[in-house]
């Protein structure tokens, strides 16, 4: 199993034609561009964590029923420096690198001092994001690398800090129907008071002079940390038509530990701490005014990486997310853990907290004279509760939708709107997805696609032209297998029935990845 997860991938820089079995809809025209870790060692040096691997970008291009594949390593500064030195010289999330002992004392001292406030790697391995008409390989740091989605060439690096005061930003922005991009980031040391920042990049931010779209970035609002030295970690957020939903969770970044990590000999990953005794705060911010709803909404301890969707209904903000009881998920992806035999891995990770899809409902119009202890949720299609407390705060308890699903996807035409279906990777005995599921929120049932010994990537929904029904479209997933008799393939499913319409077998190495974006042909 480990051979497809933690071994070095390889590039396929020239497009290769896939062998299609079945029938790909003729209307499916465009490229699915995906990102993930693909290089885990350089020379004799190896990364410790799967999320450290250097970015390998893939594209699957659909045209007239045919599929072509290509892949290239992101030519980040990190990649270039590592390859030139023939060893890992840039620190990552789970791998801290120290200067060459052969360097002179002044060079070493300079390196040590520059690590007081980390200047993070630009190894952008999580997702492909769009700002204006620009596409970027992105992770959760202040750097992104612009790519050409057609050739997968790396165009150049951009620093958020040249345009907006941020140290960290998510790789999961939202896009509205006009093409504007919304995202969230964290301003830490050296950028004024520490805060969470919500910002917007207009759809028309690109121009013919090739100036970055980020130069037109607009800050919507900022939210102060509830604890100055322990900001919440966040991987994504929710967005409705009028509101941003930010979950300030008890999975936190220890700023003092981060600032001293290099000297203490600990990795950045070890600067995240889970406070099992803390609560979770839910912030609801009006996109147009930048003002937060004054009600203090809170819930029990949880850890969240991915939001599914959010919308407004009858004076409530409803949002669905995937929660965990603790933060052990990251530990499972240390490469030493991943390289164990399957049976040993399952035994070791029995305490693994499974992902649970949960729905929260936050009532917006709360009257001060509401009796304490009252459930304020009046929606009839959810058991989620929001109970008024003696101090005027509102304690929120979720409605559990489904257990054992991650990497959620929806018909993005229904993003920020009331919706019925979501898709995701089924996680049953490990963090390795071995099925794709479609969940129906109304009847609380799911259907699956599965093939023995196959590991599908995050499902991506592409709607049929002019589709009205929410599930009228296809699901795309890149599938890999440790079985040498099963070549990697692009899977095309009917999104309504989850039945296989086609598979396009790739005559090249394909590496398992994280997230991606479908870019329709112009």
């Amino acid at each position: 199993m480990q051979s497809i997860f933690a071994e070095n991938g390889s590039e396929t820089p020239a497009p290769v034609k896939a062998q299609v079995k079945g029938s790909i809809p003729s209307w499916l025209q465009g490229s699915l561009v995906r990102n993930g870790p693909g290089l885990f060692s350089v020379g004799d040096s190896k990364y410790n964590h799967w999320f450290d691997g250097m970015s390998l970008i893939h594209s699957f291009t659909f045209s007239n029923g045919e599929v072509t594949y290509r892949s290239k390593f992101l030519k980040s500064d990190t990649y270039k420096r590592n390859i030139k030195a023939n060893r890992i010289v840039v620190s990552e999330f789970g791998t801290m690198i120290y200067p060459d002992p052969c360097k002179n004392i002044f060079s070493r001292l300079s390196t040590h001092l520059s690590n007081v406030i980390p200047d993070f790697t630009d190894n952008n391995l999580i997702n492909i994001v769009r700002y204006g008409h620009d596409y970027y390989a992105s992770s959760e740091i202040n750097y992104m690398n612009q790519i050409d989605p057609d050739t997968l060439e790396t165009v150049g690096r951009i620093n958020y800090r040249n345009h907006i005061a941020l140290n960290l930003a998510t790789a999961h922005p939202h896009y509205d129907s006009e093409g504007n991009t919304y995202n969230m980031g964290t301003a830490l040391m050296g950028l004024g008071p520490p805060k969470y920042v919500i910002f917007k990049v207009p759809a028309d931010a690109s121009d013919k002079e090739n100036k970055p779209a980020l130069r037109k970035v607009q800050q919507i609002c900022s939210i102060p940390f509830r604890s100055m030295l322990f900001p919440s970690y966040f991987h994504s957020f929710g967005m409705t038509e009028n509101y941003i939903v930010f979950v300030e969770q008890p999975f936190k970044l220890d700023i003092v530990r981060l600032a001293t990590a290099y000297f203490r000999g600990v990795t950045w990953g070890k600067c995240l701490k889970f406070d099992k005794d803390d609560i979770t705060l839910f912030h609801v911010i009006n996109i147009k005014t930048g003002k937060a709803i004054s009600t203090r909404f809170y819930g029990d301890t949880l850890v969240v990486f991915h939001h599914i969707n959010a919308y407004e209904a009858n004076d409530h903000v409803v949002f669905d997310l995937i929660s965990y009881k603790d933060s052990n998920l990251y530990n499972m992806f240390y490469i030493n853990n991943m390289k164990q035999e399957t049976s040993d891995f399952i035994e070791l990770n029995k305490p693994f907290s499974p992902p649970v899809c949960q729905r929260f409902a936050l009532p917006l119009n709360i009257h001060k004279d509401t009796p304490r202890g009252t459930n304020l949720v009046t929606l009839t299609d959810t058991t989620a509760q929001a109970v008024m407390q003696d101090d005027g705060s509102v304690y929120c308890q979720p409605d559990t939708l489904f257990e054992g699903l991650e990497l959620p996807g929806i018909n993005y035409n229904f993003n920020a709107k009331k919706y019925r279906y979501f898709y995701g990777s089924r996680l049953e005995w490990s963090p390795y997805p071995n099925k794709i599921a479609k969940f129906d929120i109304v009847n609380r049932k799911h259907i699956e696609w599965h093939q023995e010994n196959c590991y599908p990537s995050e499902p991506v929904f592409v709607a049929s032209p002019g589709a009205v029904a929410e599930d009228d479209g296809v699901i795309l997933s890149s599938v890999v297998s440790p079985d040498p008799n099963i070549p990697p393939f692009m899977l095309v499913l009917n999104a309504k029935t989850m039945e296989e319409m086609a598979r396009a077998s790739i005559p090249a190495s394909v590496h398992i990845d994280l997230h991606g974006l479908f870019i329709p042909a112009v």
Side-chain angles (χ1 to χ4, degrees):
M1 185 174 68
Q2 65 267 27
S3 62
I4 59 168
F5 286 94
E7 287 193 353
N8 286 346
S10 57
E11 290 185 312
T12 306
V16 294
K17 191 173 173 181
Q19 184 178 352
V20 177
K21 180 182 170 188
S23 179
I24 294 173
S26 57
W27 56 260
L28 185 60
Q29 306 276 332
S31 292
L32 176 60
V33 184
R34 297 192 56 78
N35 196 355
L39 197 64
F40 300 93
S41 64
V42 184
D44 294 331
S45 57
K46 296 179 180 179
Y47 289 117
N48 298 328
H49 199 282
W50 196 66
F51 295 158
D52 295 345
M54 283 194 284
S55 163
L56 180 59
I57 313 272
H58 317 256
S59 70
F60 303 84
T61 300
F62 299 84
S63 179
N64 304 320
E66 296 185 338
V67 179
T68 51
Y69 172 79
R70 76 192 319 167
S71 64
K72 291 181 183 176
F73 286 111
L74 182 71
K75 304 305 189 294
S76 61
D77 283 14
T78 295
Y79 176 91
K80 292 174 188 171
R81 288 174 61 191
N82 288 343
I83 296 300
K84 184 178 180 182
N86 195 34
R87 65 185 179 91
I88 298 166
V89 295
V90 180
S91 296
E92 298 289 345
F93 171 83
T95 309
M96 188 62 79
I97 301 298
Y98 295 92
D100 187 338
C102 300
K103 279 187 175 181
N104 67 49
I105 186 72
F106 297 106
S107 174
R108 291 211 310 267
L109 183 63
S110 165
T111 304
H112 284 303
L113 289 174
S114 70
N115 278 280
V116 174
I117 296 177
D119 188 24
F120 296 109
T121 167
D122 69 339
N123 175 32
N124 303 120
L125 76 155
I126 294 178
N127 204 358
I128 305 295
V129 305
R130 177 181 62 73
Y131 287 115
H133 299 297
D134 306 342
Y135 292 91
Y136 295 91
S138 176
S139 46
E140 299 182 326
I141 47 185
N142 57 294
Y143 293 117
M144 294 186 297
N145 274 282
Q146 188 177 353
I147 62 160
D148 181 323
D150 295 324
T151 65
L152 304 188
E153 287 296 318
T154 304
V155 177
R157 186 168 84 167
I158 189 168
N159 189 344
Y160 274 112
R161 291 207 298 252
N162 292 339
H163 306 278
I164 187 170
L166 290 177
N167 299 90
L168 309 164
T170 90
H172 286 289
H174 281 283
Y175 311 98
D176 67 15
S177 56
E178 296 171 358
N180 303 306
T181 305
Y182 296 82
N183 207 349
M184 270 197 75
T186 306
L188 297 173
M189 306 155 285
L191 298 171
K195 55 192 177 289
Y196 310 108
V197 177
I198 298 168
F199 60 92
K200 169 186 174 182
V201 178
D204 61 356
S206 303
D207 63 16
K208 292 174 183 170
E209 297 175 30
N210 292 325
K211 290 178 181 173
L214 270 183
R215 79 193 192 288
K216 291 190 177 178
V217 64
Q218 302 162 9
Q219 181 171 316
I220 293 174
C221 76
S222 65
I223 304 164
F225 299 167
R226 62 171 150 160
S227 173
M228 286 285 281
L229 296 177
F230 298 99
S232 168
Y233 169 78
F234 56 98
H235 185 78
S236 63
F237 60 99
M239 187 172 87
T240 72
E241 186 182 349
N242 295 295
Y243 298 99
I244 297 286
V245 179
F246 167 49
V247 178
E248 193 174 13
Q249 62 183 338
F251 187 32
K252 305 170 185 178
L253 182 63
D254 183 330
I255 290 187
V256 173
R257 195 169 172 84
L258 180 73
T260 58
Y262 189 79
F263 307 109
R264 290 171 185 251
V266 300
T267 63
W268 295 326
K270 300 289 187 192
C271 300
L272 288 166
K273 58 172 269 181
F274 173 62
D275 185 349
K276 64 179 175 45
D277 300 318
D278 202 355
I279 59 168
T280 303
L281 287 181
F282 304 112
H283 300 274
V284 181
I285 300 102
N286 187 305
I287 293 172
K288 296 175 178 66
T289 66
K291 296 276 194 312
I293 301 287
S294 59
T295 305
R296 186 175 191 263
F297 296 107
Y298 74 98
D300 294 332
T301 305
L302 62 79
V303 171
V304 54
F305 301 102
H306 296 117
H307 285 248
I308 304 171
N309 197 7
Y311 61 91
E312 296 157 46
N314 300 332
D315 286 331
H316 294 70
V317 165
V318 178
F319 61 96
D320 300 338
L321 52 75
I322 296 174
S323 80
Y324 294 84
K325 289 179 179 165
D326 55 43
S327 60
N328 290 342
L329 182 70
Y330 271 144
N331 296 334
M332 298 173 75
F333 284 93
Y334 278 98
I335 289 173
N336 282 346
N337 292 343
M338 298 179 76
K339 287 196 169 179
Q340 294 176 332
E341 290 302 316
T342 304
S343 56
D344 294 339
F345 185 92
I346 294 170
E347 187 62 34
L348 181 75
N349 290 293
K350 272 188 176 169
F352 167 61
S353 155
V356 181
C357 305
Q358 295 183 317
R359 166 162 291 182
F360 287 87
L362 310 185
L364 295 176
N365 292 328
I366 297 174
H367 300 291
K368 290 178 182 173
D369 55 357
T370 300
R372 300 319 193 224
T374 305
N375 175 25
L376 304 170
V377 177
T378 56
L379 302 174
T380 56
D381 59 353
T382 180
T383 59
Q385 295 194 353
V387 178
M388 176 72 89
Q389 303 298 295
D390 289 341
D391 62 359
S393 64
V394 176
Y395 171 53
C396 304
Q397 290 177 287
D399 175 5
T400 293
L401 302 176
F402 189 54
E403 186 172 304
L405 181 144
E406 250 292 4
L407 303 175
I410 61 169
N411 176 346
Y412 205 77
N413 294 329
F414 285 75
N415 190 57
K417 299 174 185 171
K418 187 165 186 179
Y419 74 121
R420 179 169 179 172
Y421 305 107
F422 60 83
Y423 303 82
S425 302
R426 283 286 272 136
L427 306 176
E428 294 179 308
W429 47 267
S430 84
Y432 305 136
N434 62 336
K435 297 177 181 177
I436 302 173
K438 173 190 182 181
F439 184 74
D440 184 330
I441 297 168
V442 173
N443 67 24
R444 304 291 171 110
K445 293 181 178 175
H446 75 283
I447 50 177
E448 295 178 338
W449 176 90
H450 171 63
Q451 182 177 327
E452 197 64 37
N453 223 4
C454 285
Y455 297 95
S457 71
E458 154 198 75
V460 174
F461 183 98
V462 184
S464 305
V468 176
E470 185 183 335
D471 57 355
D472 182 358
V474 296
I475 290 292
L476 305 179
S477 178
S478 164
V479 183
V480 299
S481 172
D483 184 342
N485 297 314
I486 305 176
F489 60 95
M490 170 52 59
L491 177 67
V492 183
L493 299 177
N494 179 325
K496 205 177 283 287
T497 64
M498 295 299 282
E499 291 170 348
E500 184 172 325
M501 300 173 72
R503 67 174 60 192
S505 295
I506 312 292
S509 165
V510 177
H511 214 275
I512 201 150
D513 53 31
L514 285 168
H515 298 292
L517 187 66
F518 184 79
I519 304 171
V522 178

